[in-house]
Amino acid sequence: MLVYLDNNATTMVDPLVVEAMGPFFSEIYGNPNSLHKFGTASHPALKKAMDQVYMALNASDNDDIIFTSCATESNNWVLKSVYLDHIVNGDKNHIITTEVEHPSVLAACRALEEEGVKVTYLPVNNQGVVEAHVVRSFITDKTALVSVMWASNETGMIFPIKEIGEICKEKGVLFHTDGVQAVGKIPVDLQDVHVDFLSMSAHKFHGPKGVGALYIKDSQPLSPLLHGGEHMGGRRSGTLNVPYIVAMGKAIELATTNIEEKITSIRAKRDRLEDALLELSDTFVVGDRDNRTPNTILISIRGVEGEGMLWDLNNGQIGASTGSACASEDLQANTVMLAIGADSELAHTGIRLSLSRFTTDAEIDYTIEHFKKAVFRLRAISSSFAKVGPTPGGESKECELHHH
Ligand code: 7TS
C-alpha cells in the first residue's frame, strides 16, 4: 500500500478535473484573445471557470478574481503592489504580517524591508494563531497592509480572519489573507468576512500545479505585477492558461460542493488517526482540533527526530512531511513549533500528516500500525530519549505549549 499524507504540500489532481481540462490542450487551443473561432471557442469554458470560482467563494460581481500562476505569485503581487501604490507613491511605511506565514509572504516582506519598509512580524499564541487584538495593537496611521494567513499549512490552525477583517475595515487598513490552506478545506464566504485580497492555489484542492488566483474586493486598484498585453483587464498580463483555468474552476467546484459532508468525513479519519497516535507516550499534537482544518495533524514525538521518522515512514510507503516541503530540505527545527514555544528538541520532532478527501480508512489503519512501529523502533535507538526516558506519567495530549 502507498499512503499519501502530504496533502498540504500538494494534492492529487482529481480525475474529473483532468477530464474537464483535457479538450483545451489539442482541440480547443486558440488564444482566447484571438477574434476567430479558434479563440472564441474557449470563452464559454473560461466564463464557466470564473463563475465556479466566484460561486465557491461567494464573491460578488463587483469583485475581481484574477488567475495567476500560483499563490506565491498572488502573495508577491499584493505585497509588492501595495508597497508601490501606498508606500512609494503614498504616505504609508508599515506592513503587518505574522511569524508563521508561508515563505512566499515572509521572503517578500524581507525584500521590502531591504527597501526601507517597516515590517511587523506578529507572534502566535500557544495554539499557533495570532489573536485579533494583537493585530489591532500594532496598527498605526502609517500601516498600509495587514497580511495574515487564513489557515496554517504547518499546523492547520485557523486564524480569526473575520475579527481581523473587521479591525482592518474599522481602521481603514488594507487586509490580505493567504487563503491557500483554507479554500477547499473549510467554508470560505467572502460576504461574511471583510477581506481586500485573498490568495489561493489550485493544487491544494485537487487541481493542477501552476495555477492560482488573487481575489480583489470591489475591483480596487492594485498595480499589476506583470505588464504586457491587456489580459485580465490589464491586471495580469500573459496569455491565459486556458486548460489550467478550466481545471481550477472544476477543482474548486468539486472541493466546495457539499463541503460540510466532506469535512465530516475527512475529520472523522483525521481524528481517528490522531487519537491512535496520541496513545503513544510523550506525544503532542499542536493546536485544538476544533479550530484546525479538518485534514491536518502536526504531531511531535519526544525522542524521535523528524527526519528519521520521515525516512522510516517513507520506507513504509507513507508520504508525510516535517512541515512545509518548501523548507524541509535543511534539518532545521520547525519554525512554527519554535514560534508556539516548543523547546528546540521538540521542534525537531514535528511530523505533519495531511489527509485529503481521497484518503481511505484502510490507509489510516495502515498508517496507525506503521507509525507506531516506527516510533518504537526509533525510540529504541534514540540516545536523547534513552537518556531522559519517558516523562513521568508520559501522557499525551493536544498540546498547549507554553512560552519560555
Ligand atoms: N501559502 C501557503 C499557506 C502554502 O501552504 C503554500 C504552499 C503557498 C502559499 C505556496 O503556494 P504555491 O501555489 O505557490 O505553490 N505550501 C506548501 C507546504 O506547506 N508544503 O509544500 C508547499
Side-chain angles (χ1 to χ4, degrees):
M1 189 181 281
L2 258 178
V3 184
Y4 183 70
L5 291 178
D6 201 9
N7 288 281
N8 284 8
T10 197
T11 58
M12 177 190 90
V13 183
D14 188 320
L16 294 172
V17 170
V18 177
E19 191 183 298
M21 74 197 285
F24 297 92
F25 287 101
S26 305
E27 292 162 45
I28 307 170
Y29 52 80
N31 186 325
N33 277 26
S34 300
L35 298 178
H36 47 63
K37 286 186 177 151
F38 294 88
T40 56
S42 65
H43 289 187
L46 285 171
K47 161 118 187 21
K48 182 173 173 194
M50 208 48 124
D51 288 346
Q52 285 165 321
V53 182
Y54 274 81
M55 280 277 287
L57 304 173
N58 200 16
S60 100
D61 289 345
N62 301 330
D63 305 329
D64 269 354
I65 290 173
I66 310 291
F67 291 100
T68 60
S69 66
C70 58
T72 297
E73 179 187 328
S74 303
N75 287 340
N76 271 264
W77 180 12
V78 172
L79 289 159
K80 289 172 185 174
S81 293
V82 166
Y83 163 67
L84 196 62
D85 298 345
H86 298 274
I87 296 178
V88 175
N89 295 315
D91 60 357
K92 310 284 185 190
N93 72 355
H94 181 218
I95 290 174
I96 297 176
T97 187
T98 80
E99 284 177 357
V100 296
E101 298 296 312
H102 185 265
S104 54
V105 169
L106 289 178
C109 284
R110 286 200 198 99
L112 294 180
E113 278 186 290
E114 297 285 309
E115 303 298 323
V117 180
K118 203 167 156 284
V119 181
T120 304
Y121 300 90
L122 298 177
V124 290
N125 66 12
N126 58 14
Q127 286 280 313
V129 300
V130 167
E131 291 165 32
H133 70 89
V134 178
V135 177
R136 179 190 287 280
S137 71
F138 281 91
I139 293 176
T140 72
D141 56 4
K142 289 288 187 190
T143 308
L145 179 76
V146 169
S147 178
V148 175
M149 66 197 337
W150 196 312
S152 162
N153 50 321
E154 307 237 19
T155 63
M157 289 303 289
I158 299 167
F159 286 57
I161 293 307
K162 191 173 164 80
E163 289 86 336
I164 297 172
E166 292 304 321
I167 291 168
C168 291
K169 189 176 170 187
E170 177 198 319
K171 298 269 188 185
V173 174
L174 291 170
F175 180 38
H176 166 243
T177 185
D178 176 347
V180 166
Q181 298 289 342
V183 172
K185 290 198 174 80
I186 56 172
V188 168
D189 180 345
L190 293 172
Q191 300 303 313
D192 182 48
V193 296
H194 174 87
V195 163
D196 293 293
F197 308 107
L198 174 132
S199 305
M200 61 201 121
S201 188
H203 74 99
K204 307 288 182 172
F205 48 80
H206 304 288
K209 295 156 198 52
V211 60
L214 181 68
Y215 159 89
I216 305 176
K217 190 176 184 61
D218 291 335
S219 310
Q220 59 188 291
L222 185 70
S223 286
L225 184 67
L226 303 180
H227 295 87
E230 288 297 292
H231 309 94
M232 295 258 163
R235 308 206 77 171
R236 199 276 186 185
S237 291
T239 301
L240 299 195
N241 189 345
V242 180
Y244 279 53
I245 290 171
V246 169
M248 182 161 174
K250 184 71 181 174
I252 203 167
E253 181 184 87
L254 290 168
T256 54
T257 304
N258 297 328
I259 193 166
E260 294 296 347
E261 280 168 35
K262 292 186 175 82
I263 289 173
T264 305
S265 155
I266 294 174
R267 186 192 294 277
K269 294 187 183 85
R270 190 273 310 268
D271 289 353
R272 195 161 70 78
L273 174 60
E274 187 170 321
D275 287 339
L277 300 185
L278 286 172
E279 285 168 7
L280 291 159
S281 67
D282 281 286
T283 46
F284 307 90
V285 170
V286 176
D288 176 6
R289 68 172 75 163
D290 292 335
N291 195 30
R292 247 189 277 147
T293 47
N295 75 322
T296 307
I297 304 172
L298 177 59
I299 187 166
S300 182
I301 311 131
R302 200 171 278 281
V304 178
E305 208 249 337
E307 272 74 18
M309 188 65 191
L310 270 198
W311 173 263
D312 205 309
L313 290 174
N314 189 43
N315 285 340
Q317 317 281 32
I318 299 167
S321 161
T322 50
S324 170
C326 334
S328 63
E329 274 170 25
D330 40 13
L331 298 180
Q332 282 172 2
N334 183 306
T335 47
V336 177
M337 293 192 65
L338 288 176
I340 65 171
D343 59 53
S344 120
E345 192 233 305
L346 209 55
H348 277 93
T349 69
I351 293 285
R352 180 182 74 181
L353 302 167
S354 47
L355 289 66
S356 83
R357 64 174 188 262
F358 294 98
T359 306
T360 64
D361 276 309
E363 290 170 347
I364 297 296
D365 293 336
Y366 176 85
T367 303
I368 291 169
E369 196 189 324
H370 189 87
F371 197 100
K372 287 186 167 177
K373 278 192 196 147
V375 169
F376 288 129
R377 194 162 42 235
L378 290 165
R379 274 185 173 165
I381 57 170
S382 153
S383 55
S384 67
F385 194 69
K387 247 184 269 147
V388 188
T391 52
E395 82 282 8
S396 307
K397 56 181 176 172
E398 275 181 27
C399 181
E400 276 197 21
L401 290 162
H402 297 287
H403 286 282
H404 301 287

